[in-house]
């Protein structure tokens, strides 16, 4: 431990010295220069020329210049010692180039809009290096990493972490070949120690978990179920031909001793990313209103764009973050020919839904629901195994509990009326919550805490009511008896599907319950608890519910009434969604897998819910709460600012604290489209070449509609009046094909 602390202190000292030296060098360069100032008369429009410019903050640029912005090849030096040499496109770092930090660290490779994106090599000040694929500042794809302590990893990466197939080699001779997830050994893999011993089998979160075999060099082995929990572990020792006696060996020694030497090196951190060093060009883009600093109500200029640049997760900082302010002021420098003005947003006056307080018609139902959830989740149960027996999925597998107002042996006294509570397939849903990494305590606090639920203002088309938890994590939907039957029928296939494909886009179900009031009312309410796809600290500026059909698929609201809480439909869609290549390929595969499941289960009428956040629109964060932005394009209005807490959160966590995965917090681009006036039912408009950077969320929802006799009659009736291909109610096979074809036309690879 003392050696590690000493090494880290030495690195920190080295960094500080190098930064001081870099700043002194930069100051000496700038004071010795006598070059043209940036506000000198510009050349003619479209003319590329070579310039040397000192900017007002002391930064220096030398290279090709066009229309008031760097365009071509050029070198930029910041006063804090950072430097970039390479390609520029209309004021943005683009193409091949090299970025140098004052510590001596470098990145050389491809850039897109200031982000390290494409093939590139990072060489750290401490000896770290990574060569491989990058996506928006994160290691993503195939890559090789050499760590400063001598460790080595070669394999697949996803959003900055080892994920997929890969090999990790420790300096002490131990190596692991196998599957990874979130930077830890997860899945099937083999680890071999320098003494010849090995373990091959299942891993979870960096430790053996599940079926596995430990082998000795003499051929003897221990085969069984592995776990850090001694109670869950059991197995059999198999001696080799040359061995007759069972050794005095405890398999837990693998956890307590063997794996102590197998820590994954955290690597080195880039304290400032190239995308955050966007220069401040006073002369930027004539006629581009979007590039002008906005004036605050106090007369000061606000130059922050607050786009959520992502950080590679590591442990050793290159320097003190307080020194990172020089040159960070970032403005949108896009040319007006490739970007349009951001849409004007009507500001929601309050959060979605009506708080269910005392006196609300459903107040008692909410109390019943909360009492039941607290009882179900808090009830002790057996140790959860992901391998469930078929009996757990039996529709008859349900638990009834009486809740008298005065309380009982198993239930607390309460202020509501007498009711009965039913849990459907409780073990299955308990296991699903574990599979989806839902902590039982957090789940109970979200649903059953002091904060009331919120009821969405109007029921859906089906007549179902929706309730949101106060933290927006979970959505509770009332469902019909037929939908309960559909979910229970498809539950085994659904469970196997979400277990096999962690990036599945289908709705996450956490519980299925019912409340039955006793007495004369005899009212029975069934409901399912789901994950809220659009739960995020980002403001969702636009949301679409997309099916691939045209009949009735438009919002009746006039444009003036559409706000960020409005769910638009297929004929309202005016964007194409552009995903980076590896994300796009995974998206196509997953849409096929998910549609295969739904088609197999005879499900139709589902849709893809898509929400996105425009990255150029500032979003204030105060104590973690979201306040929607107003009309961000109005130059004279006050632009909300991030609190320091919110800014620190964005600076310290990838994508502003949201985990990036398929359909969740995905950085992407969208392209504006327009429909031809004569084609009112045209589903996909023509691309305009106008792009926006967004954070994207999407998933498949409403997956409990069976193609029953009601839907068959609806199909027959509407087919006589409208084009059969334009209506929602069609056979599941036809629905699946139409849905896939449509989705894979509006989602395209970003080239």
């Amino acid at each position: 431990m003392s050696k590690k602390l000493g090494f880290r202190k030495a690195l920190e000292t080295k960094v500080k010295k190098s930064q001081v030296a870099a700043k002194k060098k930069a100051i000496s360069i700038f004071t010795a220069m006598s070059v043209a100032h940036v506000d000198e008369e510009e050349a003619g429009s479209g003319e590329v020329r070579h310039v040397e410019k000192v900017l007002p903050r002391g930064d220096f640029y030398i290279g090709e210049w066009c229309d008031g912005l760097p365009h071509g090849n050029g070198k930029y030096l910041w006063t804090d010692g950072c430097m970039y040499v390479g390609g520029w496109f209309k004021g943005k770092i683009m193409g091949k180039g090299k970025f140098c930090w004052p510590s001596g660290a470098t990145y050389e490779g491809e850039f897109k809009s200031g982000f390290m994106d494409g093939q590139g090599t990072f060489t750290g000040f401490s000896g770290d290096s990574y060569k491989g694929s990058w996506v928006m500042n994160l290691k993503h794809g195939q890559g090789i990493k050499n760590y400063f302590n001598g460790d080595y990893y070669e394999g697949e990466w996803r959003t900055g972490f080892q994920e997929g197939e890969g090999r990790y080699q420790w300096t002490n001779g131990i190596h692991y070949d196998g599957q990874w997830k979130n930077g830890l050994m997860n899945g099937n893999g083999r680890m071999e120690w320098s003494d010849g011993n090995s373990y091959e089998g299942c891993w979870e979160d960096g430790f053996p978990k599940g079926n596995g075999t430990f082998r000795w060099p003499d051929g003897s082995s221990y085969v069984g179920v592995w776990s850090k929990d001694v109670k869950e572990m059991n197995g059999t020792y198999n001696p080799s031909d040359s061995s007759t006696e069972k050794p005095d060996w405890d398999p837990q020694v693998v956890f307590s001793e063997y794996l102590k030497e197998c820590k994954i090196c955290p690597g080195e951190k880039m304290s400032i990313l190239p995308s955050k060093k966007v220069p401040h060009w006073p002369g930027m883009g004539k006629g581009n209103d979007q590039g002008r600093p906005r004036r605050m109500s106090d007369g000061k200029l606000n130059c922050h764009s607050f786009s959520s640049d992502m950080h590679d997760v590591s442990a050793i900082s290159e320097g003190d973050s307080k020194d990172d302010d020089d040159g960070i002021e970032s403005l949108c420098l896009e040319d007006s020919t490739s970007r349009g003005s951001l849409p004007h947003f009507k500001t929601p006056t309050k959060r979605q839904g009506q708080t269910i307080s005392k006196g609300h018609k459903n107040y008692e139902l909410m109390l019943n629901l909360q009492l039941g959830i607290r009882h179900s989740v808090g009830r002790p149960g057996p140790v959860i195994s992901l391998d469930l027996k078929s009996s757990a999925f039996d529709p008859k597998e349900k638990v009834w509990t009486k809740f008298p107002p005065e309380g009982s042996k198993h239930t607390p006294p309460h202020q509501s009326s007498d009711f009965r509570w039913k849990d459907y397939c409780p073990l299955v849903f308990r296991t699903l919550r574990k599979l989806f990494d839902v902590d039982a305590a957090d789940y109970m606090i979200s649903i059953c805490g002091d904060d009331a639920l919120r009821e969405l203002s109007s029921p859906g088309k089906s007549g179902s009511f929706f309730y949101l938890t106060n933290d927006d994590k979970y959505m509770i939907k009332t469902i019909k008896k037929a939908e309960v039957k559909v979910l229970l029928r498809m539950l085994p296939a659904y469970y196997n599907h979400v277990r096999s494909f962690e990036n599945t886009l289908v709705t996450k179900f956490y519980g299925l319950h019912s409340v039955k009031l006793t007495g004369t009312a005899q009212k029975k309410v069934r409901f399912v608890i789901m994950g809220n796809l659009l739960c995020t600290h980002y403001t969702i500026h636009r949301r679409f519910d997309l099916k691939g059909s045209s009949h009735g698929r438009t919002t009746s609201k006039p444009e003036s009434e559409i706000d960020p809480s409005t769910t638009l439909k297929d004929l309202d869609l005016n964007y194409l969604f552009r995903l980076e290549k590896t994300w796009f390929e995974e998206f196509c595969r997953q849409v096929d897998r998910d549609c295969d499941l739904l088609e197999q289960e005879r499900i139709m009428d589902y849709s893809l819910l898509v929400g996105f956040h425009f990255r150029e629109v500032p979003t204030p964060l105060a104590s973690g709460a979201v306040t929607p932005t107003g009309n961000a394009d109005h130059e004279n209005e006050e632009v909300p600012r991030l609190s320091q807490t919110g800014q620190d959160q964005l600076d310290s966590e990838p994508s502003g604290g949201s985990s990036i995965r398929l359909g969740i917090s995905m950085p992407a681009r969208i392209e504006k489209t327009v429909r031809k006036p004569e084609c009112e039912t045209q589903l996909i408009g023509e691309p305009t070449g106008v792009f926006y950077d967004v954070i994207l969320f999407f998933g498949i929802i409403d997956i409990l509609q069976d193609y029953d006799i009601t839907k068959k009659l609806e199909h027959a009736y509407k087919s006589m009046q409208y084009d059969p291909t334009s209506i929602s109610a069609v056979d599941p096979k036809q629905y699946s094909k139409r849905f896939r074809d449509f989705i894979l036309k509006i989602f395209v690879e970003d080239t």
Side-chain angles (χ1 to χ4, degrees), residues 379-610:
R379 185 174 56 227
V383 174
I384 295 178
S385 168
L386 297 182
D387 297 316
L388 295 175
K389 296 179 180 178
S390 58
S391 59
F393 297 93
D394 189 336
K396 296 177 183 177
E397 186 68 20
K398 45 199 168 191
V399 178
W400 276 104
T401 307
K402 290 184 178 180
F403 279 82
E406 67 275 11
S408 68
K409 183 179 178 181
H410 303 290
T411 63
H414 58 85
Q415 297 177 345
S416 183
S417 58
D418 193 6
F419 71 95
R420 295 179 71 194
W421 170 264
K422 185 193 284 188
D423 273 330
Y424 296 87
C425 298
L427 181 58
V428 177
F429 286 102
R430 188 172 170 221
T431 310
L432 280 170
R433 293 195 292 271
K434 175 181 171 63
L435 196 63
F436 295 139
D437 294 325
V438 173
D439 180 77
D442 291 342
Y443 184 69
M444 274 202 289
I445 290 170
S446 292
I447 301 174
C448 312
D450 295 334
D451 296 312
L453 302 178
R454 303 197 314 279
E455 182 179 79
L456 297 192
S457 56
S458 60
K461 189 178 178 182
S462 64
S464 298
F465 281 86
F466 292 87
Y467 303 93
L468 280 172
T469 57
N470 191 60
D471 57 10
D472 288 335
K473 283 185 180 179
Y474 304 104
M475 182 172 283
I476 300 163
K477 178 186 179 184
T478 61
I479 58 177
K480 299 174 182 176
K481 185 177 182 179
E483 292 175 297
V484 172
K485 288 182 176 179
V486 170
L487 179 52
L488 292 175
R489 184 196 72 202
M490 67 181 289
L491 197 54
Y494 172 85
Y495 178 81
N496 291 329
H497 183 80
V498 298
R499 186 180 176 187
S500 301
F501 306 112
E502 64 177 355
N503 282 332
T504 181
L505 300 175
V506 297
T507 303
K508 288 182 169 61
F509 293 121
Y510 300 120
L512 180 63
H513 314 279
S514 73
V515 168
K516 185 176 183 181
L517 300 178
T518 58
T520 55
Q522 290 289 307
K523 181 182 177 183
K524 190 172 185 179
V525 181
R526 304 168 183 89
F527 55 90
V528 64
I529 302 176
M530 309 173 289
N532 179 14
L533 178 66
L534 301 183
C535 174
T536 172
H537 66 260
Y538 293 112
T539 299
I540 298 298
H541 294 120
R542 284 288 182 265
R543 61 188 75 205
F544 292 89
D545 181 278
L546 306 171
K547 293 186 177 184
S549 58
S550 57
H551 176 65
R553 299 296 296 162
T554 185
T555 304
S556 56
K557 286 185 178 182
E559 183 71 26
S560 59
E561 292 183 19
I562 293 175
D563 64 29
S565 67
T566 304
T567 300
L568 303 169
K569 299 180 182 178
D570 299 65
L571 292 177
D572 305 311
L573 182 66
N574 52 349
Y575 298 102
L576 289 177
F577 303 98
R578 297 189 169 274
L579 305 182
E580 181 272 331
K581 182 179 179 181
T582 54
W583 282 121
F584 177 70
E585 291 171 349
E586 176 62 23
F587 173 76
C588 293
R589 285 192 295 267
Q590 197 56 55
V591 167
D592 280 337
R593 292 165 181 159
D594 292 340
C595 286
D596 285 343
L597 167 74
L598 299 174
E599 183 182 327
Q600 169 193 316
E601 294 299 316
R602 302 283 297 164
I603 304 297
M604 44 78 67
D605 217 22
Y606 46 88
S607 52
L608 187 78
L609 179 64
V610 181

Side-chain angles (χ1 to χ4, degrees), residues 116-129:
M116 300 179 286
D117 199 304
Q119 294 296 311
T121 301
F122 172 78
T123 305
F125 68 92
S126 64
D128 256 16
S129 70

Side-chain angles (χ1 to χ4, degrees), residues 92-109:
K92 285 223 170 184
I93 295 173
M94 190 82 75
K96 291 188 177 180
K98 183 176 182 179
F99 190 92
C100 303
W101 284 265
S103 63
T106 62
Y107 168 84
E108 188 166 4

